[in-house]
Amino acid sequence: MSPNSTSAKALRKAAYAAGAMSLAVAGILITVPTASADDSTCTSAPAYDEQVLVTPEVPGTPGSPAVEEVWHWGNFQRYSWTGGPDGPGAGDIPPGDNWQANTVSYEGAGHGTDPVNQIFQAGTPGKADWFYWSADKIIDVEGQPAIPPTEGTPAVYTTVHHDAVTCPVTVVTPPTVTPTTAPAPADESTHTIPATVQTDGDTSWIPVAAGGLGALAAASLAGAGLLLRGRRS
């Protein structure tokens, strides 16, 4: 086997190995799922019934009895008729020109039973005089009617049912790595890859880059192409 043939086989093997490694890396990158963040929170809770107020309670009132008015006469003034023997008319009320003011002591001199705020006569029939006691009604206690009690109204509630809150179970699935298997080369013998490959009449140097898997595969395939073109020359 010529040196050129051996070199070409070695280059093909290197190209196969680089391609297989590139496909394996690509398969790993493809099968890793994209991570997503869920900022929502969920808190589990059991079902329960809540009593919601519909109408508040209205308390009853005890009521109260009637209050009797308490009052008395005050500011008395006694008048005597001076207008003539016929006496005063129905609307002739003191004070006036036909009336003369006398005492203010209603309780004194036996006047405690005289009518108040109306014309009356006192004395011997036929020779009677007309008199008038004016006075103010002074109220000591205001009268109040009875207030009946009222019945209260209880509060009204309604039942509101709340369903249970069940949070979903989070299942973390690890990424699946599916390596890609490259076909094995036909010749399994071990060969040394020369740093440079010389063709019939032309000299070419093919740099082998170890910095990246994609560059290694590309360089290997390029070298194999150059070698084949050299053989056909």
Side-chain angles (χ1 to χ4, degrees), residues 48-54 155-162:
Y48 68 97
D49 292 334
E50 179 184 7
Q51 296 297 315
V52 179
L53 179 65
V54 177
V156 177
Y157 291 86
T158 185
T159 301
V160 177
H161 178 74
H162 298 270

Side-chain angles (χ1 to χ4, degrees), residues 30-221:
I30 291 172
T31 54
V32 175
T34 303
S36 61
D38 187 4
D39 296 333
S40 62
T41 58
C42 178
T43 302
S44 299
Y48 68 97
D49 292 334
E50 179 184 7
Q51 296 297 315
V52 179
L53 179 65
V54 177
T55 304
E57 176 187 6
V58 178
T61 59
S64 61
V67 177
E68 185 178 357
E69 182 182 68
V70 178
W71 63 277
H72 67 278
W73 293 114
N75 303 322
F76 287 97
Q77 177 61 59
R78 185 173 184 269
Y79 293 92
S80 298
W81 174 253
T82 59
D86 294 335
D92 196 355
I93 303 299
D97 294 338
N98 296 324
W99 293 97
Q100 176 182 332
N102 305 132
T103 182
V104 296
S105 177
Y106 180 77
E107 302 296 337
H111 302 302
T113 58
D114 292 343
V116 178
N117 292 332
Q118 67 182 34
I119 298 172
F120 66 95
Q121 287 180 293
T124 304
K127 297 181 179 180
D129 294 325
W130 285 268
F131 302 95
Y132 188 93
W133 282 99
S134 67
D136 296 328
K137 182 180 181 180
I138 299 175
I139 298 176
D140 301 317
V141 178
E142 291 282 351
Q144 298 290 339
I147 300 176
T150 60
E151 294 184 1
T153 303
V156 177
Y157 291 86
T158 185
T159 301
V160 177
H161 178 74
H162 298 270
D163 293 332
V165 177
T166 303
C167 297
V169 179
T170 303
V171 178
V172 179
T173 303
T176 302
V177 178
T178 305
T180 303
T181 304
D187 191 355
E188 298 296 334
S189 60
T190 303
H191 301 279
T192 302
I193 301 174
T196 61
V197 179
Q198 184 171 354
T199 62
D200 297 338
D202 293 331
T203 303
S204 300
W205 290 268
I206 303 175
V208 179
L213 295 176
L216 177 60
S220 301
L221 294 174

